[in-house]
Each structure stands twice: as C-alpha cells, then as structure tokens.
Amino acid sequence: MHKIPVGVLGASGYAGRELCALIQRHPSLTLAFATANSQRGETVDLPLGGRVTFAATEDAALDKAALVFSALPHGASAEWVARARAAGVKVVDLSADHRIGNGASEGVPYGLTELRRDQVRGADCVANPGCYPTAILIGLLPLLERGLVLPGARIDVSAASGVTGAGLSPRLDLLYGEVTENFRAYGAGNSHRHLKEMRALVAELSVDADLQFTPHLLPIARGILATITVPLAASLPDPLAPWRERYRGERFVEVVEELPELRHVQHRNVVRVAVRMVEGVRAPALQVFSAIDNLMKGAAGQAMQNANLMLGLDEWVGLPA
Amino acid sequence: MHKIPVGVLGASGYAGRELCALIQRHPSLTLAFATANSQRGETVDLPLGGRVTFAATEDAALDKAALVFSALPHGASAEWVARARAAGVKVVDLSADHRIGNGASEGVPYGLTELRRDQVRGADCVANPGCYPTAILIGLLPLLERGLVLPGARIDVSAASGVTGAGLSPRLDLLYGEVTENFRAYGAGNSHRHLKEMRALVAELSVDADLQFTPHLLPIARGILATITVPLAASLPDPLAPWRERYRGERFVEVVEELPELRHVQHRNVVRVAVRMVEGVRAPALQVFSAIDNLMKGAAGQAMQNANLMLGLDEWVGLPA
Amino acid sequence: MHKIPVGVLGASGYAGRELCALIQRHPSLTLAFATANSQRGETVDLPLGGRVTFAATEDAALDKAALVFSALPHGASAEWVARARAAGVKVVDLSADHRIGNGASEGVPYGLTELRRDQVRGADCVANPGCYPTAILIGLLPLLERGLVLPGARIDVSAASGVTGAGLSPRLDLLYGEVTENFRAYGAGNSHRHLKEMRALVAELSVDADLQFTPHLLPIARGILATITVPLAASLPDPLAPWRERYRGERFVEVVEELPELRHVQHRNVVRVAVRMVEGVRAPALQVFSAIDNLMKGAAGQAMQNANLMLGLDEWVGLPA
Amino acid sequence: MHKIPVGVLGASGYAGRELCALIQRHPSLTLAFATANSQRGETVDLPLGGRVTFAATEDAALDKAALVFSALPHGASAEWVARARAAGVKVVDLSADHRIGNGASEGVPYGLTELRRDQVRGADCVANPGCYPTAILIGLLPLLERGLVLPGARIDVSAASGVTGAGLSPRLDLLYGEVTENFRAYGAGNSHRHLKEMRALVAELSVDADLQFTPHLLPIARGILATITVPLAASLPDPLAPWRERYRGERFVEVVEELPELRHVQHRNVVRVAVRMVEGVRAPALQVFSAIDNLMKGAAGQAMQNANLMLGLDEWVGLPA
C-alpha cells in the first residue's frame, strides 16, 4: 500500500518524539523527515519502541510531505508554518502560535477535534490545542454548550500535570532531585497562555462565566488531571447524562462513573471524564474530573486525530484508545 | 536531668513511628512504652534514625507514663483514652474519636494549637486535629476570624496528600505499582471525616460559608498541599497582611511570598502559607496555598506541640522547624 | 476472520492482566474467559487500555478454549494445568510449577523461546520461564553455548527489578510509602526459585561454572536490569560479536552498543543486551547488561510468543517490539 | 557561647546546601559565608529547614573563617583551597582535587574518617572522599586490613546511586521525565574518578586484588547501595565478626544482620553494613552490602566529621546518626 509521507519539525522534544512514534506505527503514514537543530544527526529511542534520526530543520524537504506537524517552540513555529503552507503542504501546528487567545489566524481552526471536527476536515492548517485546555474544555463542553453554568459565576479549575508538559529542556527545577516527592502550584508562563486560550473559547461559546485556573506540578512523567468546580443554574437530576449524550459515539472520550486515574489514560489518546454533584452546600454546584495523557490527547495524539481528518483518513487510524 | 516518661499506643503506624522518633530525640521526654498488637515483639527502624521495640497494647503500663499518645485506629482509640484518663494520665488522642464534628467530648479541646493554645495548656485530654484540617484551617483562620469571607459563599478546597496519610495498611490500591506515576481524586472514608471536622469548626467560628473539599492521592510518601479558593467580601489591597498579622510570633507557621512546595515542609513541624488574589474575574476571590508534612504538623508533630503545652514545657521543644 | 479462543486462569495479577491486554489486541485471538477467584465479578482497566471482567476459576469452560494461560500462583497452578491438559487444551504455565529446577515434567519444554523454539512449537504444554532467568539467560547464552566461560569460574549476577515482579499482593513492604526513595537487596522466596532455575539450565548446557545471584528491589513499577560479570577463558577481540551472531534475525533480542535503560524496554517484548570488557584487571572478564520488561518478555509477552508457536501462528503476532 | 565561624565555597549544589544546613544546626559553629557565583544574591531553602543567601565566591572573607569547606567543582577547587590555606584557614576539600588517585598532595590526608582519624585531627587540609568510595571502602576495610581477600582475586562492586550524586546541574538525562521509572548502568566521568580513588587505596593498603566497579543510576534523590562480591582466602565461620570488631565504638558505622535499605540511612551520617556468604559455589566468597546517604556520610556529613576533628571538637557534634 502506498503510504502518505508526513514530516515533523522540532521532533526532539517530548511531543515531537511521541509524534514520530505514532507515525512509525501508523498504517497509512510514513515519516518523511524529523528535524531538531539541537540534536541534528543524533538517533534516539522513541516511547514504546522505534528509533528516529534527526535532521536539521533547514534541511527539511517540506514539499516531499503531504502534511507537516510543527512541534517547534512557541514563537519559532509561525515562520515554519508559513513556509510549509507556502509550499502547499498541510500543517498541524502544535505550538500556541495560531491558537485562539494567542494569535488565532483566519482559516486556521482550533483543533479541539470533538468541537471543531468539520472545520478541521477541510482545513489546510490547524492550531492544535494546549494540553490543559484539552482536558478542561472537553470536561466543560456539555455544560457550556447547554447553558447549564450559572450566569456570572466563576468556574474554578485546579489541575495537575506531569513534568513532560514543561518540555524536554534543561531546567534546574525539573531535575529529578527537585521534583521527586514534591508537589507545588505554579503560576506563570504556560499557565497564562492556557488561561487565555480557555477564556477565549468560553467567550466564543457566549458563556457568561469567569474562569480561574491553578496548575500544579506532579512528580510523574505524563498525565493531566483537572478537578473543575462549576456553579450550576440548576441542580442536575442525572449529572452524568449531559456528558453521555454529548460524547455518544466519540471514540476518544470515556464518560465513566468512577473517578478517573492517570494510569488509565497514559499512552492513550483519550479524555476520561466523571462528574459529582457537590454535597452539603446551598447553591447547586458540580465537579468535573477530567484526565488525559498530556503527550497523547494533550499533544501528539490529538494532532494525529486532526491530521487523519485533514488527509481524508478515518479519524481514529493509528491511535491507541 | 530527669526525663518525663511518655507512652505511645498504636505505635506501629506511620504517625506512631514518627512519635517514637520525636520522643527519642526530645531533650525532656523518655519513651516509657510503645505498643502495637500486630507487631508485638518486633524491632523496627524509625524515620531519620533510632529503633523501637513494640509491646502488646494490653501490656502498656499506663500509670508509668505522665502522658500517653494514642495513635490507635479511629473507633478503637476511645476506649484506651478512657482507660488512660481513668489512670490519671494525660492523653493526646491522634484518632478522630474526640474530634469536633466526629464525637467531641466536653473538656477535650480540639488541639489546633495556634487556635486553642490556652485550652490545650490546661487540658487533661486533647483531640489532635486531622492532617487535612490542619493544613486547611491554618490556611483559612485569618479570613474566618476577621469576617473576610463573602457571606453565604462556598469555599473550595482542592487538596492532595502523600500515601502515608492513608496509614500503614496492606491495601492493594496503596501498593507502589498502583500509585507510582498515578494521580487521582478520591471521595470516601477519611475525606468525609475531615470534611465534617472542618465544617464543624467553620460553624463554631460563626462563619456563614459552605465548604467543599476534594482530596487527591499523590505519588509521594509525605506531605499535603491544599489549594483553597475563597470568595471575599471585598478585595484585599495587601492580601498577605492578615496572615502576617495573625501568625506573627508563631514558630510553626511560615507566611511566605513564593508558592509553597512540599519539599520545603517535609520532616518539619510547620505550615507554610502563601496567598494570591484571583485575577481576571468579576467578584473578588483569593487563593490560599497551604503546605504541611502530614506526619509532622499533620499528626505527630502537632501532637508533640500539644503534649509540650500539657506538660508545662516550651511548646517548641524537641520539634524540627 | 475466525479468531482462536484462549483463556487466562488467575488473571487478576499483574501478569494476568498483561495477558488479557495482549489477547484483546491480538489480531488472531479472542479472550474466552479470564478467571480470578478473589475478584470474581469485578471489571478492571487493563494496561494501555481495555477492560476485563473476571469469572470464578471453577467456572472456566476450559474446553471452550484452544489454549489456556495459567497465571495462577506457584503450587496452585499444577492442578489446573493438569485439568486443562486432560480436557485436551494446550497450556502455557506462567507459574514455576513445571519449570526446570523446580519440578520440570517430561514433555513440558522450558519456554525460553530463543533457546527452545522447536520444542515449544510441538508442545501441548510449556513452562514459561521466570522473569529474572529470562533476562539473565538470554544475556548469557552466547557465552554458555560457545564455551567462552572460564571453567570452574563463578558468574556473578547483580540484578534489580521493579515491584510488579513481586505480584499484586497486599504486602506492607510493597506499599508506596515503603518503596519510594528506597533500594535494597533481598534474598528469599522468588530469588531462590529463580537461582535454582538458572543453575539447572547452566548444568543442562554442560557449562562448568558457578552462578551467584543477588536481586534488588527498585522503586519502579516494571523492568529488570541484570548486570552480569563473567570470567572468560580468553579475552574477546570483538566482545559484542557472539551476541550479534547468536541473535541475528531474532525479533525480540536487541543487541546494542550503548548500555541498556529500562525505559527503552518497558511495555515491549524484548531483551536489550550490551556488553563491556572489564578494564584494568588481570584475568579477562566481561560484563553483560540485560534489560527486559518483567511483565512482557519476563512473563506475558514471552507466554504469548510461546502460545503463538503452539497455535501455528507467526511467533511475533500481537506482540509489541 | 562563642561559636566558631566557618565558610562554604560553592554552596549552591546539593552537597553545599547540605553543609549549610548542618552548620546552621551545629551547636558550636556559625556560618560566616556561603558562596555560589551562579546564584549570588539568591536566598534558598535548605534540606530539613533553614535558609541561606549566597555571596559571590570572590567576595568570600576567607580570613574571617576558622575553617572553610570547598564544595567547588573538581578542577576549580584546588585554587581556592590554596588561597584559603595561604590565608591560614583550615580546609576540607569536598572536590576530588586532592584525593588519593586523583592528585593527592603531601600533608593532605584522605579523610575517610574511620581509617585516617589521627591524621585528620592534626591536618590543616583534608581531602574528603568521594561518595561511592566511602560506601565501598568502609564496607571492605575489615577484609582488606586483615588480609582476608584471596590474593590475586577480583573484587566486584555493583553500586547504585540517587541522582543528587550527579550534582545540581541542568543535564537533560537528569530531568525527572528521563529518570523516573528508569534504571541504568553508566560508565564514564565520576565513576572513573572513583575507581582510581578506590584502586589507589587498595594499593596503599598493600592488598593484592583487582577491583571492578559498575555504578548505576537510581530513580531516587539520595542514597548509595553497594553490593560487593569478594573472593576469600578462606571461609569465615562468623562472617560478620570482622565488621563488628573493626567498627566497635564507631558512632557512624552500623553493622547489622538484616540487609540494609536506603531509607534507613537517608539524612543520617552513617554507613550501614551487612554481609552474606555466597552459597552453593565452590570457592569461598562473601558479599558485603553497604548503604549510605551520598550527601551525608558520602559528602557533607563526613566533611563535618573531619571538620569537627580539625577544630578540636567531638567528632560527632552536630551530626545526625
């Protein structure tokens, strides 16, 4: 069978390597190139098997690929996305450069697949959502879309992520000796970017609510758990029903009774969601628990979901669910 | 120097061993006995050094001790506390059996030392607070006592604890293979007990507010971080001031600018607290971040703080801060 | 396509769940039953996705399966293996009950696939090797088979395993709080069984050498690394050559230059091997470094390798390499 | 009481911070300065409590200190040790610059305290041993000093260390995401330096034996466990006796029956040693298991032991055992 050639720019980080691994196992795709200036010429092991050798980004034969994933850093990605588009190549941009709230561009849909499937299908370029926003927005969509949030209320998000969410960069605060047996909230950099992204989407859906977001750093490699408290306009007799209905038939959203655990979503392209009514309080409120693998549904997996759609393939091909 | 004999009932669990270690290093105390029916006759290593041999609980010579710590399980503790009191021995009960909201008794103060110091000093028996309530209430007291919480509002607590908070019991879900690289919320057992304890105290302080509490299990041995969101009656120009003032001179409360990390409180009898105003929302709200070592300030350390007071010693003797 | 029904006895442990997951993803097999008396009726999540519901072992319809995997405990397995064989069903026994050195039976080959492939292919019952012996023997075979070990010498094995090697049992010493940030050698139970298994195989290959084995417990979930020191009859000019030659064409043995890491073999059915000559010593000696995932090549994966052969399928079908 | 002023050069690394913490808790010492060029002006939290602010190394008022600890990098330390000695200040050099096998200097004893106590007491400058050599040599001394090792034999050391042994430097391979759930041997840099140090000492003690050393990286913060196999000249009827006798009265060496665990030595200035005869082999051989905290007895703690002696204090003052 003829395989479709795709490339990865900025492939040496955690999301880039995960993409290379997905492509190597994909039945319909082949890896045309994987670039990483800082590690050009190096061959590395990929998660769950496979190896890849990095080329220099300048040497990427963009026009040899039908689609390019950009896992380049925020800021650096936009230029290469433009070059690829100029070469007539489709692009999934994993950086924040074209995301809603951070520099959205005309005709570049926000690739939260379960929300924007139709736009993604016809797009030449897609802005892949951030990891936290994916977990949180998939968790909130049934409430947001149905007008169940108390108008004017504040949605509170306390979320925790493994260290790969911060990327493969030599920061002292990400050393093993600093992270093991530790836990802390943090409040700068990525979290601001993700907050803007989420607030912009809430506004786009015309929901009259504030959003508060507190990320924490977990001593684990991969996974995000978001614990979201939402004041409701009214109590829900069957709290899980909105999620069951909204995500019926969705392969990559698991609506469950028991509270989700990170080990149940790691290495899988899924969001697992459960809800609980808050008990013993005056005004109705609900908690949503949403878990993802930040490198899969939070990055490379969702990027592949979008790429499959853009290339006319079945959305789920090559993705572990 | 003459040392005061004290005993530990139920000494084989995590809190019990921590108590034995504190007593062995205490300049004014000596360990009269340490009991543990399930491990009677066994000698074990203690945290940070030292060893102890357990006796059967029935063999405890209660009247040989000036004070007894009960680290027996909830339910089993009450009987032994009664026996010790009948023998004229002072008691610090680390179980929930005499705690506010769970069976408080006349004349048994709730040993949140920074709140009830005077009552503890004159008490024959003290109910040592739970680990989560200690972190959360110390974090909230400046708001609760000054009437800064928006009347009728809901205080949201998202907290995470290391596994020693669940005790040294052979549960499959606490095995290393089940906890490593995992994270999850949970909602039964201890968390219900702690919620009742906290709600009862909020009511006792006549604060008109609801309290919501969601505990999570961290892949670490020791430590609790509580992230608390509080709707305020009004914005605070200098948000940290109430904490600085309330805890001025307190040796075991660290009010800090930077967000607290668990590694900064482990093996220490302190609560470390920081606050942040929630930004970009309509109604004023504040976040409190409160970190403790669940076995120290959350259990054995605070028990020793209380015991020091009950025995007429300086509150801080023998405690690592 | 018609799928071959297979069953798993004792499916609730770590190896059993891994088997269920492999079977569910296998293109030619279907899971006829999975039994677990202690968790009968329960539905659990499997590694990397999938769910299974356990039946009682007594209710297993053995004759509905073409092949049965027994992951029952040592001692308990033999009886069920006999029952299954009496029912005309092929069996892969993951317990030690039929292993060389621990109760080998006539006509039950020792399923170290790369050593006994031909015997496995025609067998009705196979004794699946232990996890440590798999890592160590695959590492040693090229030296043992070619007579490169110094006659009369002592082979020293220092090996370390993640906690899943000890099984999913509620032991206090396997709790997260006891294993995290810890490391220790141990010397009873499984290690004796594995030592007998390895010594028996060394003897069967007519190698005149002693074998010493020291296992250690790692604070990780899965993986074994064996560091093996072997006195040689003579120095090796190209030390890696014997491994390259012995394992040419083997899909599940990776002979590499760089020292193996556990993260490169986790969730994969491979042995990764590297060697180094010991430098600065008088007598020639070599070190072999051998890494596996104890639940895959060390248990469920190798069991599937053997089952594939016994069922006339390609050895590598359904196995992640 | 008058306190003796001491300083720390290169205080921002793991060993340097541990030293600062020990000095702050020491009843007879006071911290005159702590320097760290890369973090000058910064204030950081210390292990188990306390805080320190770093000055620039150039600004260190060497002559204000009675003794200086140099925790500067290998290579950079020698110059500052010379400056301090020229200023008439005593020095404990934690770098390798003056260690046996790596550049030993006349009159600078090798500060393995239990071996060289008398020389340390009268020295102006002491070369503090490496972490691996401390664990291994304390484990081996009773055999080496009594001539119990088989002449011409090879001593095999398989050892594993936590990540703080590699220092607080921003290396990709030391990131949490690369170390968690991983284990690997490594063979360059520090391990070569430590091997030279150990071989030089074995030679100095006139022992006719080779030494082989294989270090591994553990997913833990602190601790070293060495598993050492030694061919013996003859079998030992009471294997532990040589250790009991050699270390009788030593406060910082724990000779025990049960196999040592890292959690039993962490945050303590001790070596814990146990031994086992190798069973089922022809020639008598013994295994020594030796555990330390690499930052305490393996670095800062032993440095303080030596400093206490050099300053005329009791060797054990201010040290947790």
Side-chain angles (χ1 to χ4, degrees):
Chain A
M1 189 183 72
H2 174 67
K3 292 195 172 188
I4 304 168
V6 299
V8 180
L9 301 171
S12 63
Y14 285 117
R17 292 180 189 206
E18 199 79 23
L19 271 167
C20 293
L22 285 175
I23 294 165
Q24 289 187 353
R25 281 190 220 108
H26 197 291
S28 307
L29 301 183
T30 184
L31 184 59
F33 52 82
T35 78
N37 284 337
S38 63
Q39 297 184 31
R40 67 181 70 181
E42 285 182 41
T43 301
V44 301
D45 283 87
L46 297 175
L48 306 187
R51 287 168 78 86
V52 71
T53 303
F54 301 122
T57 302
E58 282 294 344
D59 297 342
L62 295 173
D63 56 355
K64 293 283 173 23
L67 181 145
V68 164
F69 297 94
S70 171
L72 290 164
H74 310 302
S77 186
E79 181 200 332
W80 282 93
V81 170
R83 285 203 208 183
R85 297 180 75 181
V89 181
K90 291 174 196 274
V91 184
V92 177
D93 185 1
L94 283 85
S95 85
D97 287 357
H98 295 87
R99 285 185 203 152
I100 182 171
N102 293 279
S105 309
E106 195 70 31
V108 179
Y110 180 66
L112 190 68
T113 326
E114 286 75 13
L115 177 67
R116 295 284 154 79
R117 184 171 283 125
D118 290 340
Q119 292 165 254
V120 168
R121 199 173 269 126
D124 289 329
C125 180
V126 166
N128 214 56
C131 48
Y132 279 120
T134 296
I136 294 160
L137 293 171
I138 292 289
L140 284 174
L141 277 185
L143 294 176
L144 300 176
E145 292 176 339
R146 289 164 183 237
L148 297 172
V149 181
L150 179 71
R154 192 190 64 247
I155 298 171
D156 280 311
V157 182
S158 177
S161 172
V163 294
T164 56
L168 186 56
S169 59
R171 282 166 44 185
L172 284 180
D173 64 333
L174 298 180
L175 289 178
Y176 189 88
E178 306 301 293
V179 174
T180 183
E181 296 292 310
N182 199 12
F183 186 60
R184 60 182 170 94
Y186 60 94
N190 265 314
S191 62
H192 287 171
R193 184 182 300 126
H194 288 155
L195 183 54
K196 280 196 280 181
E197 188 176 332
M198 293 185 283
R199 284 181 172 169
L201 198 90
V202 168
E204 199 172 299
L205 294 174
S206 303
V207 175
D208 174 29
D210 289 336
L211 187 71
Q212 184 266 119
F213 168 55
T214 311
H216 300 72
L217 185 70
L218 280 171
I220 67 169
R222 49 165 80 206
I224 285 176
L225 180 69
T227 298
I228 313 170
T229 308
V230 190
L232 296 183
S235 192
L236 295 177
D238 178 3
L240 206 51
W243 283 262
R244 286 222 182 87
E245 289 161 23
R246 174 62 175 83
Y247 294 121
R248 183 163 297 138
E250 290 288 355
R251 274 182 187 245
F252 298 122
V253 182
E254 301 180 339
V255 180
V256 295
E257 292 284 345
E258 64 268 40
L259 294 176
E261 307 190 23
L262 290 190
R263 64 179 171 146
H264 292 149
V265 300
Q266 282 156 351
H267 295 288
R268 306 174 61 217
N269 187 53
V270 299
V271 187
R272 186 175 277 205
V273 186
V275 307
R276 294 284 185 277
M277 288 299 295
V278 178
E279 290 174 17
V281 296
R282 276 164 267 195
L286 181 127
Q287 283 195 306
V288 185
F289 300 88
S290 178
I292 65 168
D293 181 327
N294 57 298
L295 296 180
M296 289 295 292
K297 183 65 182 172
Q302 185 155 254
M304 184 60 78
Q305 233 184 308
N306 289 325
N308 281 338
L309 289 171
M310 294 161 79
L311 294 168
L313 303 171
D314 285 328
E315 181 179 330
W316 46 265
V317 182
L319 283 169
Chain B
M1 187 184 71
H2 174 67
K3 292 194 172 188
I4 304 169
V6 299
V8 180
L9 300 171
S12 63
Y14 285 118
R17 292 180 188 205
E18 199 80 23
L19 271 167
C20 293
L22 286 175
I23 294 165
Q24 289 187 354
R25 281 190 221 107
H26 197 292
S28 307
L29 303 182
T30 184
L31 184 60
F33 53 81
T35 78
N37 285 338
S38 63
Q39 298 184 33
R40 67 180 71 182
E42 284 182 41
T43 300
V44 302
D45 283 87
L46 297 175
L48 307 187
R51 286 168 78 86
V52 71
T53 302
F54 300 122
T57 301
E58 282 296 342
D59 297 342
L62 294 174
D63 56 355
K64 292 284 174 22
L67 182 145
V68 164
F69 297 94
S70 171
L72 290 164
H74 309 302
S77 185
E79 180 200 333
W80 281 93
V81 169
R83 284 205 209 183
R85 296 181 75 180
V89 180
K90 291 175 196 277
V91 184
V92 178
D93 185 1
L94 283 85
S95 86
D97 287 356
H98 294 88
R99 286 185 202 151
I100 182 171
N102 293 280
S105 309
E106 194 70 32
V108 178
Y110 181 66
L112 191 68
T113 326
E114 286 75 12
L115 177 66
R116 295 284 152 82
R117 184 170 284 123
D118 290 340
Q119 292 165 254
V120 168
R121 198 173 270 124
D124 288 330
C125 181
V126 165
N128 214 55
C131 49
Y132 279 119
T134 296
I136 293 160
L137 293 172
I138 292 289
L140 284 174
L141 276 186
L143 294 176
L144 300 177
E145 292 176 341
R146 290 165 182 235
L148 297 172
V149 181
L150 180 70
R154 192 190 64 248
I155 299 171
D156 280 312
V157 182
S158 178
S161 172
V163 294
T164 56
L168 185 56
S169 60
R171 284 166 44 186
L172 285 179
D173 65 332
L174 298 180
L175 289 179
Y176 188 88
E178 305 301 293
V179 174
T180 183
E181 296 292 309
N182 199 11
F183 186 60
R184 60 181 170 96
Y186 61 93
N190 265 315
S191 63
H192 287 172
R193 184 182 298 125
H194 289 156
L195 183 54
K196 279 196 281 181
E197 186 176 330
M198 292 185 283
R199 284 181 173 170
L201 198 91
V202 167
E204 199 172 297
L205 294 174
S206 303
V207 175
D208 174 31
D210 288 338
L211 188 72
Q212 184 266 118
F213 168 56
T214 310
H216 299 73
L217 185 69
L218 280 171
I220 67 168
R222 49 166 79 207
I224 285 177
L225 181 68
T227 299
I228 312 170
T229 308
V230 190
L232 296 183
S235 191
L236 294 178
D238 179 3
L240 205 51
W243 284 263
R244 286 223 182 86
E245 289 161 23
R246 175 61 175 82
Y247 295 120
R248 183 162 296 138
E250 289 288 356
R251 272 182 189 247
F252 298 121
V253 182
E254 300 180 340
V255 180
V256 296
E257 293 283 347
E258 65 268 40
L259 294 176
E261 308 190 23
L262 290 190
R263 63 179 171 145
H264 292 149
V265 300
Q266 283 156 349
H267 295 289
R268 305 175 60 218
N269 187 54
V270 299
V271 187
R272 186 174 277 205
V273 186
V275 306
R276 294 283 185 276
M277 288 300 295
V278 178
E279 291 173 16
V281 297
R282 276 164 265 195
L286 181 129
Q287 283 196 304
V288 184
F289 301 88
S290 178
I292 63 168
D293 182 326
N294 57 298
L295 296 180
M296 290 295 294
K297 182 65 183 174
Q302 185 156 253
M304 184 60 77
Q305 232 184 311
N306 290 325
N308 281 338
L309 289 171
M310 295 162 78
L311 294 168
L313 303 171
D314 285 329
E315 181 178 329
W316 46 266
V317 182
L319 283 168
Chain C
M1 187 185 69
H2 175 67
K3 292 195 173 188
I4 305 169
V6 299
V8 181
L9 301 172
S12 63
Y14 285 117
R17 292 180 188 205
E18 199 79 23
L19 271 167
C20 293
L22 285 175
I23 294 165
Q24 288 187 354
R25 279 188 223 110
H26 197 293
S28 306
L29 303 182
T30 184
L31 184 60
F33 53 81
T35 78
N37 284 339
S38 63
Q39 297 184 31
R40 68 180 69 181
E42 286 183 39
T43 300
V44 302
D45 282 87
L46 296 174
L48 306 187
R51 287 168 79 85
V52 71
T53 302
F54 301 122
T57 301
E58 281 296 343
D59 296 342
L62 293 174
D63 57 353
K64 293 282 173 26
L67 181 144
V68 164
F69 297 94
S70 171
L72 290 165
H74 310 301
S77 186
E79 181 200 331
W80 281 93
V81 170
R83 286 203 207 183
R85 296 181 74 181
V89 181
K90 292 175 195 275
V91 184
V92 178
D93 185 2
L94 283 85
S95 85
D97 288 357
H98 295 88
R99 285 185 203 150
I100 182 171
N102 293 279
S105 309
E106 195 71 31
V108 178
Y110 181 67
L112 190 68
T113 327
E114 286 74 14
L115 177 67
R116 296 283 154 79
R117 183 170 284 125
D118 289 340
Q119 292 165 251
V120 167
R121 198 174 269 126
D124 288 330
C125 180
V126 166
N128 214 56
C131 49
Y132 279 119
T134 295
I136 293 161
L137 293 171
I138 291 288
L140 284 173
L141 277 185
L143 294 176
L144 299 176
E145 292 176 341
R146 290 166 183 235
L148 297 172
V149 181
L150 179 71
R154 192 190 65 246
I155 299 171
D156 280 310
V157 182
S158 177
S161 173
V163 294
T164 57
L168 186 56
S169 59
R171 284 167 43 185
L172 284 181
D173 64 332
L174 297 179
L175 289 178
Y176 188 88
E178 306 300 294
V179 174
T180 183
E181 297 291 311
N182 199 12
F183 186 59
R184 60 182 171 93
Y186 61 94
N190 265 314
S191 62
H192 287 172
R193 183 182 300 124
H194 288 155
L195 183 54
K196 281 196 280 182
E197 187 175 330
M198 293 185 282
R199 284 182 173 168
L201 198 91
V202 167
E204 200 172 296
L205 294 174
S206 304
V207 175
D208 174 30
D210 289 337
L211 187 72
Q212 184 267 118
F213 169 55
T214 311
H216 299 72
L217 184 69
L218 280 171
I220 67 169
R222 48 166 80 207
I224 285 176
L225 180 68
T227 298
I228 312 170
T229 308
V230 190
L232 296 182
S235 192
L236 294 178
D238 178 4
L240 205 50
W243 283 262
R244 286 224 181 85
E245 289 161 25
R246 174 60 175 84
Y247 295 120
R248 183 164 296 139
E250 289 287 356
R251 271 180 189 247
F252 298 122
V253 182
E254 300 180 338
V255 179
V256 296
E257 294 283 346
E258 64 268 39
L259 295 175
E261 308 190 23
L262 290 190
R263 64 179 171 144
H264 292 148
V265 300
Q266 284 157 349
H267 295 288
R268 305 175 59 217
N269 187 53
V270 300
V271 187
R272 185 174 280 204
V273 186
V275 307
R276 294 283 185 278
M277 288 298 296
V278 178
E279 290 174 17
V281 297
R282 275 164 268 196
L286 182 128
Q287 283 196 304
V288 184
F289 300 88
S290 179
I292 65 168
D293 182 325
N294 57 298
L295 295 181
M296 289 296 293
K297 183 65 181 172
Q302 186 157 250
M304 184 61 76
Q305 235 184 308
N306 289 325
N308 280 339
L309 289 171
M310 295 162 79
L311 293 168
L313 303 170
D314 285 328
E315 181 179 330
W316 47 266
V317 182
L319 282 168
Chain D
M1 188 185 70
H2 174 67
K3 292 195 172 187
I4 304 169
V6 299
V8 181
L9 301 171
S12 63
Y14 286 117
R17 291 179 190 207
E18 199 79 24
L19 271 167
C20 293
L22 286 175
I23 294 165
Q24 289 187 353
R25 280 189 222 109
H26 198 292
S28 307
L29 302 182
T30 184
L31 184 61
F33 53 80
T35 78
N37 284 339
S38 64
Q39 297 185 30
R40 67 180 70 182
E42 285 183 41
T43 301
V44 301
D45 283 88
L46 297 175
L48 306 188
R51 287 167 79 86
V52 71
T53 302
F54 300 123
T57 301
E58 282 295 343
D59 297 342
L62 295 174
D63 56 355
K64 292 285 173 23
L67 182 145
V68 164
F69 298 94
S70 171
L72 290 164
H74 310 302
S77 185
E79 181 200 332
W80 281 94
V81 169
R83 284 203 208 183
R85 296 182 75 181
V89 181
K90 290 173 197 275
V91 183
V92 178
D93 185 2
L94 282 85
S95 85
D97 287 356
H98 295 88
R99 286 185 202 150
I100 183 171
N102 292 281
S105 309
E106 194 71 32
V108 179
Y110 181 67
L112 190 68
T113 326
E114 286 75 14
L115 178 66
R116 295 283 154 80
R117 185 170 282 125
D118 290 341
Q119 291 166 254
V120 167
R121 199 173 269 126
D124 288 331
C125 181
V126 166
N128 214 56
C131 49
Y132 279 119
T134 295
I136 293 160
L137 293 171
I138 291 289
L140 284 173
L141 277 186
L143 293 176
L144 299 177
E145 291 176 340
R146 288 164 184 238
L148 297 171
V149 181
L150 179 71
R154 193 190 63 247
I155 299 171
D156 281 311
V157 182
S158 177
S161 173
V163 294
T164 57
L168 185 57
S169 59
R171 283 166 44 186
L172 284 180
D173 64 333
L174 297 180
L175 289 179
Y176 188 88
E178 305 301 293
V179 174
T180 183
E181 297 291 310
N182 199 11
F183 187 59
R184 61 181 170 95
Y186 61 93
N190 266 314
S191 62
H192 287 173
R193 184 182 300 126
H194 288 156
L195 183 54
K196 280 196 280 181
E197 187 176 332
M198 292 185 283
R199 284 182 173 169
L201 198 90
V202 167
E204 199 171 298
L205 294 174
S206 304
V207 175
D208 174 30
D210 288 338
L211 188 73
Q212 184 266 119
F213 169 56
T214 310
H216 299 73
L217 185 68
L218 280 171
I220 66 169
R222 48 165 81 205
I224 285 176
L225 180 69
T227 298
I228 312 169
T229 309
V230 191
L232 296 183
S235 191
L236 295 178
D238 178 3
L240 205 52
W243 283 263
R244 287 222 182 86
E245 288 161 24
R246 175 61 175 83
Y247 294 120
R248 184 164 297 139
E250 290 288 356
R251 275 183 186 245
F252 298 122
V253 182
E254 300 181 340
V255 179
V256 297
E257 293 284 346
E258 65 268 40
L259 295 175
E261 308 189 22
L262 290 190
R263 64 181 171 143
H264 292 148
V265 300
Q266 283 156 349
H267 295 289
R268 305 176 61 218
N269 187 53
V270 299
V271 187
R272 186 175 278 205
V273 185
V275 306
R276 295 282 185 279
M277 288 299 295
V278 178
E279 290 173 16
V281 297
R282 276 163 267 195
L286 181 128
Q287 283 195 306
V288 185
F289 300 88
S290 178
I292 64 167
D293 182 326
N294 57 297
L295 295 180
M296 289 295 293
K297 182 66 182 173
Q302 185 155 254
M304 184 59 77
Q305 231 183 313
N306 290 326
N308 281 339
L309 289 171
M310 294 162 79
L311 294 168
L313 303 171
D314 285 328
E315 182 179 331
W316 46 266
V317 182
L319 283 168

